Amino acid sequence: MTDAVGSIDMPDAQDAADKKPRKGGKRAKKGPLKRLALFYRQIVAELRKVVWPTRNQLTSYTTAVIVFVVLMIGLITLIDYGLSHAAKYVFG
């Protein structure tokens, strides 16, 4: 008994003959210096796509981060101070 043409169990002989091994292409073996140069060119191309903030935006973002960090430092300091006094009160 034979399988139907194109079944999962037995692939067509014609399909197997049509597939050719790849020779090179974009991912062909290259020397390490060529791969490094390609990597560098891709980095530069990606950095050109970045939308960089203006000086005013950068200043406002930096100020917001510094203010937030200072507030968090103050909050953590107060919590630490309060817990240390509570521990001294409870444990003597």
Side-chain angles (χ1 to χ4, degrees), residues 2 7 10 12 16 26-27 34 36 44-46 51:
T2 61
S7 72
M10 296 181 67
D12 290 344
K26 285 188 177 180
R27 295 187 178 194
K34 286 187 178 183
L36 188 62
V44 170
E46 286 297 321
V51 178

Side-chain angles (χ1 to χ4, degrees), residues 76-91:
I76 298 297
T77 301
L78 286 175
I79 291 172
D80 185 47
Y81 183 74
L83 288 176
S84 66
H85 277 291
K88 285 181 186 176
Y89 179 74
V90 170
F91 296 112

Side-chain angles (χ1 to χ4, degrees), residues 9-90:
D9 296 332
M10 296 181 67
D12 290 344
Q14 203 173 33
D15 288 343
D18 289 342
K19 294 182 181 177
K20 296 178 183 174
R22 289 179 60 178
K23 291 184 179 178
K26 285 188 177 180
R27 295 187 178 194
K29 263 303 204 198
K30 298 176 185 172
L33 291 178
K34 286 187 178 183
R35 288 185 302 196
L36 188 62
L38 175 66
F39 180 67
Y40 178 73
R41 283 194 307 268
Q42 288 173 346
I43 288 173
V44 170
E46 286 297 321
L47 285 175
R48 286 190 179 140
K49 295 178 188 177
V50 173
V51 178
W52 296 98
T54 63
R55 183 173 286 279
N56 289 336
Q57 289 174 331
L58 189 62
T59 303
S60 64
Y61 296 157
T62 303
T63 303
V65 168
I66 290 173
V67 167
F68 177 76
V69 168
V70 167
L71 288 175
M72 293 308 295
I73 288 172
L75 180 66
I76 298 297
T77 301
L78 286 175
I79 291 172
D80 185 47
Y81 183 74
L83 288 176
S84 66
H85 277 291
K88 285 181 186 176
Y89 179 74
V90 170

